[in-house]
Amino acid sequence: MSRFVVRFMKDVLGENGRHAEICQSIVEVDAASEGHAAELAKRKFCENHSLCDWSLHADRIQVKQTDFPS
């Protein structure tokens, strides 16, 4: 098993009219693959935020493998 850090990202429009990328949440999971890590993180994100679908609060995810807990 490997450790993955999954970031849930959202594009927003700031007061100055410029687009910004905001990290809504970071979830760390242990998984056998990047795809499995993404699915586990989506489930955890939904549980943590009482959501039925992660995409209600984020536009995309970023999955990165790490050797050490962040």
Side-chain angles (χ1 to χ4, degrees):
M1 288 263 194
S2 297
R3 171 141 323 248
F4 293 87
V5 175
V6 182
R7 288 182 170 81
F8 290 81
M9 307 301 292
K10 178 135 184 109
D11 290 326
V12 296
L13 186 60
E15 290 179 13
N16 60 2
R18 295 186 181 197
H19 289 277
E21 183 179 55
I22 305 297
C23 181
Q24 296 289 79
S25 184
I26 298 173
V27 178
E28 291 188 27
V29 295
D30 293 318
S33 68
E34 190 173 298
H36 189 235
E39 292 307 313
L40 288 173
K42 288 175 188 177
R43 198 174 314 140
K44 275 189 173 183
F45 182 82
C46 286
E47 289 172 6
N48 291 343
H49 297 281
S50 300
L51 299 170
C52 60
D53 185 0
W54 67 273
S55 64
L56 294 172
H57 282 253
D59 296 322
R60 68 189 158 285
I61 61 171
Q62 297 174 343
V63 182
K64 293 189 180 177
Q65 186 174 356
T66 182
D67 293 331
F68 304 100
S70 60

